[in-house]
Short mmCIF file of all heavy atoms in Angstrom, two decimals:
data_model
loop_
_atom_site.label_atom_id
_atom_site.label_comp_id
_atom_site.label_asym_id
_atom_site.label_seq_id
_atom_site.Cartn_x
_atom_site.Cartn_y
_atom_site.Cartn_z
N ALA A 44 15.84 -7.58 9.41
CA ALA A 44 14.53 -8.19 9.67
C ALA A 44 14.59 -9.71 9.53
O ALA A 44 13.95 -10.45 10.28
CB ALA A 44 13.49 -7.62 8.73
N LEU A 45 15.37 -10.18 8.55
CA LEU A 45 15.44 -11.63 8.30
C LEU A 45 16.37 -12.36 9.26
O LEU A 45 16.17 -13.54 9.53
CB LEU A 45 15.89 -11.89 6.86
CG LEU A 45 14.90 -11.44 5.78
CD1 LEU A 45 15.53 -11.54 4.40
CD2 LEU A 45 13.63 -12.27 5.86
N THR A 46 17.39 -11.69 9.77
CA THR A 46 18.38 -12.37 10.61
C THR A 46 18.33 -11.95 12.06
O THR A 46 18.98 -12.57 12.90
CB THR A 46 19.80 -12.12 10.06
OG1 THR A 46 20.07 -10.71 10.09
CG2 THR A 46 19.95 -12.65 8.65
N GLY A 47 17.58 -10.92 12.39
CA GLY A 47 17.53 -10.41 13.75
C GLY A 47 16.53 -11.14 14.62
O GLY A 47 15.96 -12.17 14.22
N PRO A 48 16.30 -10.64 15.81
CA PRO A 48 15.35 -11.28 16.73
C PRO A 48 13.95 -11.30 16.15
O PRO A 48 13.54 -10.39 15.44
CB PRO A 48 15.41 -10.39 17.98
CG PRO A 48 16.30 -9.26 17.68
CD PRO A 48 16.90 -9.44 16.34
N SER A 49 13.20 -12.35 16.44
CA SER A 49 11.87 -12.50 15.85
C SER A 49 10.78 -12.68 16.90
O SER A 49 9.68 -13.09 16.57
CB SER A 49 11.87 -13.68 14.89
OG SER A 49 12.19 -14.87 15.56
N GLU A 50 11.07 -12.36 18.16
CA GLU A 50 10.10 -12.59 19.23
C GLU A 50 8.79 -11.84 19.00
O GLU A 50 7.72 -12.36 19.29
CB GLU A 50 10.67 -12.18 20.59
CG GLU A 50 11.82 -13.02 21.08
CD GLU A 50 13.15 -12.62 20.45
OE1 GLU A 50 13.33 -11.43 20.07
OE2 GLU A 50 14.01 -13.50 20.31
N GLY A 51 8.82 -10.65 18.49
CA GLY A 51 7.61 -9.85 18.34
C GLY A 51 6.75 -10.21 17.14
O GLY A 51 5.60 -9.78 17.05
N ILE A 52 7.27 -11.00 16.23
CA ILE A 52 6.54 -11.30 15.00
C ILE A 52 5.26 -12.06 15.27
O ILE A 52 4.20 -11.74 14.73
CB ILE A 52 7.43 -12.05 13.99
CG1 ILE A 52 8.55 -11.11 13.52
CG2 ILE A 52 6.62 -12.56 12.80
CD1 ILE A 52 9.58 -11.78 12.64
N THR A 53 5.30 -13.05 16.11
CA THR A 53 4.10 -13.84 16.42
C THR A 53 3.04 -12.96 17.07
O THR A 53 1.86 -13.02 16.69
CB THR A 53 4.45 -15.03 17.34
OG1 THR A 53 5.40 -15.86 16.66
CG2 THR A 53 3.22 -15.85 17.68
N ASP A 54 3.45 -12.14 18.02
CA ASP A 54 2.49 -11.23 18.67
C ASP A 54 1.86 -10.29 17.66
O ASP A 54 0.65 -10.01 17.72
CB ASP A 54 3.18 -10.42 19.77
CG ASP A 54 3.65 -11.29 20.93
OD1 ASP A 54 3.13 -12.41 21.09
OD2 ASP A 54 4.54 -10.83 21.68
N MET A 55 2.67 -9.77 16.74
CA MET A 55 2.17 -8.86 15.72
C MET A 55 1.16 -9.57 14.81
O MET A 55 0.10 -9.03 14.49
CB MET A 55 3.35 -8.33 14.89
CG MET A 55 3.03 -7.13 14.05
SD MET A 55 4.51 -6.38 13.32
CE MET A 55 5.34 -7.77 12.58
N CYS A 56 1.47 -10.81 14.41
CA CYS A 56 0.56 -11.57 13.55
C CYS A 56 -0.76 -11.84 14.26
O CYS A 56 -1.83 -11.75 13.64
CB CYS A 56 1.21 -12.87 13.10
SG CYS A 56 2.55 -12.65 11.91
N VAL A 57 -0.70 -12.16 15.54
CA VAL A 57 -1.92 -12.40 16.32
C VAL A 57 -2.76 -11.13 16.40
O VAL A 57 -3.98 -11.16 16.22
CB VAL A 57 -1.57 -12.93 17.73
CG1 VAL A 57 -2.79 -12.92 18.65
CG2 VAL A 57 -0.99 -14.34 17.64
N ALA A 58 -2.11 -9.99 16.64
CA ALA A 58 -2.83 -8.71 16.72
C ALA A 58 -3.50 -8.38 15.39
O ALA A 58 -4.66 -7.95 15.36
CB ALA A 58 -1.88 -7.59 17.13
N TYR A 59 -2.79 -8.59 14.27
CA TYR A 59 -3.39 -8.31 12.95
C TYR A 59 -4.55 -9.26 12.67
O TYR A 59 -5.56 -8.86 12.12
CB TYR A 59 -2.34 -8.43 11.85
CG TYR A 59 -1.35 -7.29 11.81
CD1 TYR A 59 -0.05 -7.50 11.39
CD2 TYR A 59 -1.71 -6.00 12.18
CE1 TYR A 59 0.86 -6.46 11.34
CE2 TYR A 59 -0.80 -4.95 12.13
CZ TYR A 59 0.48 -5.20 11.72
OH TYR A 59 1.37 -4.17 11.66
N ALA A 60 -4.42 -10.52 13.06
CA ALA A 60 -5.51 -11.49 12.85
C ALA A 60 -6.75 -11.08 13.65
O ALA A 60 -7.88 -11.19 13.16
CB ALA A 60 -5.06 -12.89 13.23
N LYS A 61 -6.55 -10.59 14.88
CA LYS A 61 -7.68 -10.12 15.69
C LYS A 61 -8.37 -8.94 15.02
O LYS A 61 -9.60 -8.88 14.97
CB LYS A 61 -7.22 -9.73 17.09
CG LYS A 61 -6.91 -10.90 17.99
CD LYS A 61 -6.48 -10.43 19.36
CE LYS A 61 -6.12 -11.61 20.24
NZ LYS A 61 -5.63 -11.17 21.56
N ARG A 62 -7.59 -8.01 14.50
CA ARG A 62 -8.17 -6.85 13.81
C ARG A 62 -8.93 -7.28 12.57
O ARG A 62 -10.01 -6.78 12.28
CB ARG A 62 -7.08 -5.85 13.45
CG ARG A 62 -6.45 -5.20 14.65
CD ARG A 62 -5.33 -4.28 14.25
NE ARG A 62 -4.61 -3.81 15.42
CZ ARG A 62 -3.54 -3.07 15.36
NH1 ARG A 62 -3.05 -2.69 14.19
NH2 ARG A 62 -2.93 -2.70 16.45
N ARG A 63 -8.37 -8.22 11.82
CA ARG A 63 -9.06 -8.75 10.63
C ARG A 63 -10.38 -9.38 11.05
O ARG A 63 -11.41 -9.15 10.43
CB ARG A 63 -8.18 -9.77 9.92
CG ARG A 63 -8.85 -10.39 8.69
CD ARG A 63 -8.47 -11.80 8.40
NE ARG A 63 -8.59 -12.68 9.55
CZ ARG A 63 -7.81 -13.73 9.74
NH1 ARG A 63 -6.86 -14.02 8.88
NH2 ARG A 63 -7.99 -14.50 10.79
N ASP A 64 -10.35 -10.18 12.10
CA ASP A 64 -11.56 -10.86 12.55
C ASP A 64 -12.63 -9.88 13.01
O ASP A 64 -13.82 -10.10 12.79
CB ASP A 64 -11.22 -11.84 13.67
CG ASP A 64 -10.37 -13.01 13.18
OD1 ASP A 64 -10.28 -13.22 11.95
OD2 ASP A 64 -9.77 -13.70 14.04
N ILE A 65 -12.22 -8.77 13.64
CA ILE A 65 -13.19 -7.74 14.03
C ILE A 65 -13.85 -7.15 12.79
O ILE A 65 -15.08 -7.01 12.73
CB ILE A 65 -12.52 -6.64 14.88
CG1 ILE A 65 -12.08 -7.19 16.23
CG2 ILE A 65 -13.45 -5.44 15.05
CD1 ILE A 65 -11.17 -6.26 17.01
N ALA A 66 -13.03 -6.82 11.79
CA ALA A 66 -13.59 -6.27 10.55
C ALA A 66 -14.53 -7.26 9.88
O ALA A 66 -15.61 -6.89 9.41
CB ALA A 66 -12.46 -5.87 9.59
N VAL A 67 -14.16 -8.54 9.84
CA VAL A 67 -15.02 -9.57 9.25
C VAL A 67 -16.33 -9.67 10.01
O VAL A 67 -17.41 -9.76 9.40
CB VAL A 67 -14.28 -10.93 9.20
CG1 VAL A 67 -15.24 -12.08 8.90
CG2 VAL A 67 -13.16 -10.90 8.16
N ASP A 68 -16.26 -9.66 11.34
CA ASP A 68 -17.49 -9.74 12.15
C ASP A 68 -18.41 -8.55 11.88
O ASP A 68 -19.64 -8.71 11.79
CB ASP A 68 -17.14 -9.81 13.63
CG ASP A 68 -16.52 -11.14 14.04
OD1 ASP A 68 -16.59 -12.11 13.23
OD2 ASP A 68 -15.92 -11.20 15.13
N ILE A 69 -17.84 -7.35 11.77
CA ILE A 69 -18.65 -6.16 11.49
C ILE A 69 -19.30 -6.29 10.11
O ILE A 69 -20.49 -6.00 9.95
CB ILE A 69 -17.79 -4.89 11.59
CG1 ILE A 69 -17.37 -4.65 13.04
CG2 ILE A 69 -18.53 -3.68 11.03
CD1 ILE A 69 -16.31 -3.58 13.22
N LEU A 70 -18.54 -6.74 9.12
CA LEU A 70 -19.09 -6.91 7.77
C LEU A 70 -20.20 -7.97 7.77
O LEU A 70 -21.23 -7.79 7.12
CB LEU A 70 -17.99 -7.28 6.78
CG LEU A 70 -16.97 -6.17 6.50
CD1 LEU A 70 -15.81 -6.72 5.69
CD2 LEU A 70 -17.62 -5.00 5.80
N ARG A 71 -19.99 -9.08 8.48
CA ARG A 71 -21.03 -10.12 8.57
C ARG A 71 -22.30 -9.57 9.18
O ARG A 71 -23.41 -9.85 8.71
CB ARG A 71 -20.52 -11.29 9.41
CG ARG A 71 -19.71 -12.28 8.65
CD ARG A 71 -19.57 -13.59 9.44
NE ARG A 71 -18.80 -14.51 8.64
CZ ARG A 71 -17.60 -14.96 8.95
NH1 ARG A 71 -17.03 -14.58 10.09
NH2 ARG A 71 -16.96 -15.79 8.17
N ALA A 72 -22.16 -8.78 10.24
CA ALA A 72 -23.33 -8.22 10.94
C ALA A 72 -24.15 -7.31 10.03
O ALA A 72 -25.35 -7.15 10.26
CB ALA A 72 -22.87 -7.45 12.18
N HIS A 73 -23.53 -6.77 9.01
CA HIS A 73 -24.23 -5.86 8.09
C HIS A 73 -24.47 -6.48 6.72
O HIS A 73 -24.85 -5.77 5.78
CB HIS A 73 -23.44 -4.55 7.95
CG HIS A 73 -23.38 -3.78 9.23
ND1 HIS A 73 -24.42 -3.01 9.68
CD2 HIS A 73 -22.42 -3.70 10.17
CE1 HIS A 73 -24.10 -2.47 10.83
NE2 HIS A 73 -22.89 -2.86 11.15
N GLY A 74 -24.28 -7.80 6.61
CA GLY A 74 -24.54 -8.49 5.35
C GLY A 74 -23.56 -8.13 4.23
O GLY A 74 -23.90 -8.26 3.06
N LEU A 75 -22.37 -7.70 4.58
CA LEU A 75 -21.39 -7.27 3.57
C LEU A 75 -20.20 -8.21 3.45
O LEU A 75 -19.29 -7.96 2.65
CB LEU A 75 -20.87 -5.86 3.91
CG LEU A 75 -21.93 -4.77 3.90
CD1 LEU A 75 -21.34 -3.48 4.47
CD2 LEU A 75 -22.45 -4.56 2.49
N HIS A 76 -20.19 -9.29 4.22
CA HIS A 76 -19.04 -10.21 4.19
C HIS A 76 -19.04 -11.04 2.91
O HIS A 76 -20.04 -11.65 2.56
CB HIS A 76 -19.07 -11.14 5.41
CG HIS A 76 -17.97 -12.13 5.42
ND1 HIS A 76 -18.16 -13.43 5.02
CD2 HIS A 76 -16.67 -12.01 5.75
CE1 HIS A 76 -17.02 -14.09 5.12
NE2 HIS A 76 -16.10 -13.24 5.56
N ALA A 77 -17.94 -11.02 2.19
CA ALA A 77 -17.82 -11.83 0.98
C ALA A 77 -16.70 -12.86 1.10
O ALA A 77 -16.77 -13.92 0.48
CB ALA A 77 -17.56 -10.93 -0.23
N TYR A 78 -15.67 -12.57 1.89
CA TYR A 78 -14.54 -13.49 2.05
C TYR A 78 -13.74 -13.07 3.27
O TYR A 78 -13.86 -11.95 3.76
CB TYR A 78 -13.65 -13.49 0.81
CG TYR A 78 -12.89 -12.20 0.61
CD1 TYR A 78 -11.56 -12.09 1.01
CD2 TYR A 78 -13.49 -11.07 0.05
CE1 TYR A 78 -10.86 -10.90 0.86
CE2 TYR A 78 -12.80 -9.89 -0.11
CZ TYR A 78 -11.49 -9.81 0.30
OH TYR A 78 -10.81 -8.63 0.15
N THR A 79 -12.94 -13.98 3.75
CA THR A 79 -12.02 -13.68 4.85
C THR A 79 -10.60 -13.80 4.32
O THR A 79 -10.19 -14.88 3.89
CB THR A 79 -12.22 -14.67 6.02
OG1 THR A 79 -13.57 -14.55 6.47
CG2 THR A 79 -11.27 -14.38 7.16
N PRO A 80 -9.84 -12.72 4.34
CA PRO A 80 -8.46 -12.79 3.84
C PRO A 80 -7.60 -13.63 4.77
O PRO A 80 -7.82 -13.64 5.98
CB PRO A 80 -8.01 -11.33 3.81
CG PRO A 80 -8.90 -10.63 4.78
CD PRO A 80 -10.19 -11.38 4.80
N HIS A 81 -6.63 -14.31 4.19
CA HIS A 81 -5.74 -15.15 5.01
C HIS A 81 -4.33 -14.59 5.07
O HIS A 81 -3.53 -15.05 5.87
CB HIS A 81 -5.72 -16.58 4.47
CG HIS A 81 -7.05 -17.24 4.57
ND1 HIS A 81 -7.58 -17.68 5.77
CD2 HIS A 81 -7.99 -17.50 3.65
CE1 HIS A 81 -8.77 -18.19 5.57
NE2 HIS A 81 -9.05 -18.09 4.28
N GLY A 82 -4.02 -13.61 4.24
CA GLY A 82 -2.67 -13.06 4.24
C GLY A 82 -2.64 -11.57 4.51
O GLY A 82 -1.60 -10.94 4.37
N ALA A 83 -3.74 -10.99 4.92
CA ALA A 83 -3.79 -9.55 5.16
C ALA A 83 -4.84 -9.24 6.21
O ALA A 83 -5.68 -10.08 6.51
CB ALA A 83 -4.13 -8.82 3.86
N PHE A 84 -4.79 -8.06 6.75
CA PHE A 84 -5.81 -7.65 7.72
C PHE A 84 -6.76 -6.63 7.13
O PHE A 84 -7.59 -6.07 7.82
CB PHE A 84 -5.17 -7.13 9.02
CG PHE A 84 -4.35 -5.89 8.85
CD1 PHE A 84 -4.90 -4.65 9.09
CD2 PHE A 84 -3.02 -5.96 8.47
CE1 PHE A 84 -4.15 -3.49 8.94
CE2 PHE A 84 -2.26 -4.82 8.32
CZ PHE A 84 -2.83 -3.59 8.55
N TYR A 85 -6.66 -6.37 5.86
CA TYR A 85 -7.60 -5.48 5.18
C TYR A 85 -8.45 -6.28 4.20
O TYR A 85 -8.07 -7.37 3.79
CB TYR A 85 -6.88 -4.34 4.46
CG TYR A 85 -5.77 -4.80 3.56
CD1 TYR A 85 -6.03 -5.24 2.27
CD2 TYR A 85 -4.45 -4.82 3.99
CE1 TYR A 85 -5.03 -5.68 1.44
CE2 TYR A 85 -3.44 -5.26 3.17
CZ TYR A 85 -3.73 -5.69 1.90
OH TYR A 85 -2.73 -6.13 1.08
N ILE A 86 -9.61 -5.73 3.86
CA ILE A 86 -10.59 -6.46 3.05
C ILE A 86 -11.17 -5.51 2.00
O ILE A 86 -11.49 -4.36 2.32
CB ILE A 86 -11.74 -6.99 3.93
CG1 ILE A 86 -11.20 -7.84 5.08
CG2 ILE A 86 -12.75 -7.77 3.10
CD1 ILE A 86 -12.24 -8.18 6.13
N LEU A 87 -11.31 -5.99 0.78
CA LEU A 87 -12.02 -5.22 -0.24
C LEU A 87 -13.51 -5.52 -0.11
O LEU A 87 -13.93 -6.67 -0.08
CB LEU A 87 -11.54 -5.58 -1.64
CG LEU A 87 -10.17 -5.03 -2.03
CD1 LEU A 87 -9.75 -5.58 -3.39
CD2 LEU A 87 -10.18 -3.52 -2.06
N VAL A 88 -14.31 -4.46 -0.03
CA VAL A 88 -15.75 -4.57 0.15
C VAL A 88 -16.45 -3.89 -1.03
O VAL A 88 -16.12 -2.73 -1.35
CB VAL A 88 -16.21 -3.93 1.47
CG1 VAL A 88 -17.71 -4.04 1.64
CG2 VAL A 88 -15.48 -4.56 2.65
N HIS A 89 -17.40 -4.57 -1.64
CA HIS A 89 -18.12 -4.01 -2.77
C HIS A 89 -19.03 -2.89 -2.28
O HIS A 89 -19.83 -3.07 -1.38
CB HIS A 89 -18.94 -5.10 -3.46
CG HIS A 89 -19.54 -4.64 -4.75
ND1 HIS A 89 -20.86 -4.30 -4.86
CD2 HIS A 89 -18.99 -4.44 -5.97
CE1 HIS A 89 -21.11 -3.93 -6.10
NE2 HIS A 89 -19.99 -3.99 -6.79
N CYS A 90 -18.91 -1.72 -2.91
CA CYS A 90 -19.73 -0.58 -2.51
C CYS A 90 -20.77 -0.22 -3.58
O CYS A 90 -21.64 0.60 -3.34
CB CYS A 90 -18.87 0.64 -2.17
SG CYS A 90 -17.92 1.30 -3.55
N GLY A 91 -20.67 -0.81 -4.78
CA GLY A 91 -21.68 -0.62 -5.80
C GLY A 91 -21.68 0.71 -6.51
O GLY A 91 -22.64 1.05 -7.20
N MET A 92 -20.62 1.50 -6.33
CA MET A 92 -20.53 2.79 -7.01
C MET A 92 -19.05 3.17 -7.14
O MET A 92 -18.19 2.41 -6.71
CB MET A 92 -21.29 3.86 -6.24
CG MET A 92 -20.77 4.13 -4.83
SD MET A 92 -21.70 5.35 -3.89
CE MET A 92 -21.28 6.85 -4.72
N ASP A 93 -18.78 4.32 -7.70
CA ASP A 93 -17.41 4.78 -7.82
C ASP A 93 -16.79 4.83 -6.42
O ASP A 93 -17.32 5.48 -5.52
CB ASP A 93 -17.37 6.17 -8.46
CG ASP A 93 -15.97 6.71 -8.54
OD1 ASP A 93 -15.24 6.33 -9.46
OD2 ASP A 93 -15.61 7.52 -7.64
N SER A 94 -15.69 4.13 -6.25
CA SER A 94 -15.11 3.97 -4.91
C SER A 94 -14.60 5.29 -4.32
O SER A 94 -14.67 5.48 -3.11
CB SER A 94 -13.99 2.93 -4.94
OG SER A 94 -12.96 3.31 -5.82
N THR A 95 -14.09 6.18 -5.15
CA THR A 95 -13.60 7.46 -4.63
C THR A 95 -14.77 8.30 -4.11
O THR A 95 -14.69 8.87 -3.01
CB THR A 95 -12.83 8.23 -5.72
OG1 THR A 95 -11.74 7.41 -6.16
CG2 THR A 95 -12.29 9.55 -5.19
N GLN A 96 -15.86 8.35 -4.86
CA GLN A 96 -17.05 9.09 -4.40
C GLN A 96 -17.59 8.47 -3.11
O GLN A 96 -17.96 9.18 -2.18
CB GLN A 96 -18.13 9.09 -5.48
CG GLN A 96 -17.77 9.91 -6.68
CD GLN A 96 -18.84 9.83 -7.77
OE1 GLN A 96 -19.87 9.18 -7.62
NE2 GLN A 96 -18.58 10.50 -8.89
N PHE A 97 -17.63 7.14 -3.07
CA PHE A 97 -18.13 6.45 -1.88
C PHE A 97 -17.25 6.78 -0.67
O PHE A 97 -17.75 7.06 0.42
CB PHE A 97 -18.17 4.95 -2.11
CG PHE A 97 -18.69 4.18 -0.94
CD1 PHE A 97 -20.06 3.99 -0.77
CD2 PHE A 97 -17.83 3.65 0.01
CE1 PHE A 97 -20.55 3.28 0.32
CE2 PHE A 97 -18.31 2.95 1.10
CZ PHE A 97 -19.67 2.77 1.26
N ALA A 98 -15.92 6.75 -0.87
CA ALA A 98 -15.00 7.00 0.24
C ALA A 98 -15.19 8.41 0.79
O ALA A 98 -15.23 8.61 2.01
CB ALA A 98 -13.56 6.79 -0.23
N TYR A 99 -15.32 9.40 -0.11
CA TYR A 99 -15.55 10.77 0.36
C TYR A 99 -16.90 10.88 1.08
O TYR A 99 -17.01 11.54 2.12
CB TYR A 99 -15.50 11.76 -0.80
CG TYR A 99 -14.10 12.16 -1.19
CD1 TYR A 99 -13.63 11.94 -2.48
CD2 TYR A 99 -13.24 12.76 -0.26
CE1 TYR A 99 -12.34 12.32 -2.84
CE2 TYR A 99 -11.96 13.14 -0.62
CZ TYR A 99 -11.51 12.92 -1.91
OH TYR A 99 -10.24 13.29 -2.26
N ARG A 100 -17.93 10.25 0.54
CA ARG A 100 -19.26 10.32 1.16
C ARG A 100 -19.23 9.69 2.55
O ARG A 100 -19.79 10.24 3.51
CB ARG A 100 -20.28 9.62 0.28
CG ARG A 100 -21.70 9.76 0.81
CD ARG A 100 -22.72 9.08 -0.07
NE ARG A 100 -22.73 9.67 -1.41
CZ ARG A 100 -23.36 9.13 -2.44
NH1 ARG A 100 -24.03 8.00 -2.29
NH2 ARG A 100 -23.33 9.71 -3.61
N LEU A 101 -18.58 8.54 2.68
CA LEU A 101 -18.49 7.86 3.97
C LEU A 101 -17.72 8.70 4.98
O LEU A 101 -18.10 8.80 6.15
CB LEU A 101 -17.83 6.49 3.79
CG LEU A 101 -17.85 5.54 4.98
CD1 LEU A 101 -19.29 5.21 5.39
CD2 LEU A 101 -17.10 4.26 4.65
N LEU A 102 -16.66 9.34 4.52
CA LEU A 102 -15.89 10.21 5.41
C LEU A 102 -16.72 11.41 5.86
O LEU A 102 -16.74 11.75 7.05
CB LEU A 102 -14.61 10.68 4.70
CG LEU A 102 -13.62 11.47 5.53
CD1 LEU A 102 -13.10 10.66 6.71
CD2 LEU A 102 -12.47 11.93 4.65
N ASP A 103 -17.44 12.02 4.93
CA ASP A 103 -18.25 13.20 5.25
C ASP A 103 -19.43 12.87 6.15
O ASP A 103 -19.76 13.65 7.05
CB ASP A 103 -18.77 13.87 3.97
CG ASP A 103 -17.67 14.56 3.18
OD1 ASP A 103 -16.59 14.84 3.75
OD2 ASP A 103 -17.89 14.80 1.97
N THR A 104 -20.09 11.75 5.91
CA THR A 104 -21.33 11.45 6.64
C THR A 104 -21.12 10.64 7.91
O THR A 104 -21.91 10.76 8.84
CB THR A 104 -22.33 10.70 5.74
OG1 THR A 104 -21.75 9.46 5.32
CG2 THR A 104 -22.72 11.54 4.53
N ALA A 105 -20.07 9.81 7.95
CA ALA A 105 -19.89 8.93 9.11
C ALA A 105 -18.51 9.05 9.77
O ALA A 105 -18.24 8.33 10.72
CB ALA A 105 -20.14 7.49 8.70
N SER A 106 -17.67 9.92 9.23
CA SER A 106 -16.30 10.08 9.74
C SER A 106 -15.53 8.76 9.74
O SER A 106 -14.75 8.48 10.65
CB SER A 106 -16.30 10.69 11.15
OG SER A 106 -16.87 11.98 11.11
N VAL A 107 -15.78 7.95 8.71
CA VAL A 107 -15.07 6.67 8.54
C VAL A 107 -14.21 6.78 7.29
O VAL A 107 -14.70 7.14 6.23
CB VAL A 107 -16.06 5.50 8.41
CG1 VAL A 107 -15.34 4.20 8.08
CG2 VAL A 107 -16.88 5.35 9.69
N ALA A 108 -12.93 6.47 7.45
CA ALA A 108 -12.01 6.54 6.32
C ALA A 108 -11.78 5.15 5.74
O ALA A 108 -11.55 4.19 6.49
CB ALA A 108 -10.68 7.14 6.75
N VAL A 109 -11.90 5.04 4.43
CA VAL A 109 -11.59 3.81 3.70
C VAL A 109 -10.74 4.20 2.50
O VAL A 109 -10.72 5.35 2.08
CB VAL A 109 -12.87 3.08 3.23
CG1 VAL A 109 -13.69 2.58 4.41
CG2 VAL A 109 -13.72 3.97 2.33
N ALA A 110 -10.04 3.23 1.93
CA ALA A 110 -9.23 3.49 0.74
C ALA A 110 -10.06 3.13 -0.49
O ALA A 110 -10.60 2.03 -0.57
CB ALA A 110 -7.96 2.66 0.76
N PRO A 111 -10.16 4.04 -1.45
CA PRO A 111 -10.90 3.71 -2.68
C PRO A 111 -10.24 2.55 -3.41
O PRO A 111 -9.02 2.51 -3.56
CB PRO A 111 -10.82 4.99 -3.51
CG PRO A 111 -10.44 6.07 -2.55
CD PRO A 111 -9.65 5.40 -1.47
#
Side-chain angles (χ1 to χ4, degrees):
L45 294 171
T46 61
S49 61
E50 294 81 28
I52 293 174
T53 299
D54 294 340
M55 195 170 50
C56 289
V57 168
Y59 287 148
K61 285 181 182 177
R62 293 177 189 175
R63 178 212 51 211
D64 293 345
I65 292 168
V67 166
D68 289 346
I69 292 169
L70 292 171
R71 276 196 179 114
H73 295 281
L75 297 171
H76 178 260
Y78 69 99
T79 300
H81 296 287
F84 63 96
Y85 51 83
I86 305 169
L87 285 174
V88 179
H89 188 257
C90 64
M92 62 182 289
D93 177 81
S94 60
T95 302
Q96 291 177 2
F97 181 85
Y99 278 121
R100 185 180 298 168
L101 190 61
L102 186 61
D103 289 341
T104 61
S106 298
V107 174
V109 295

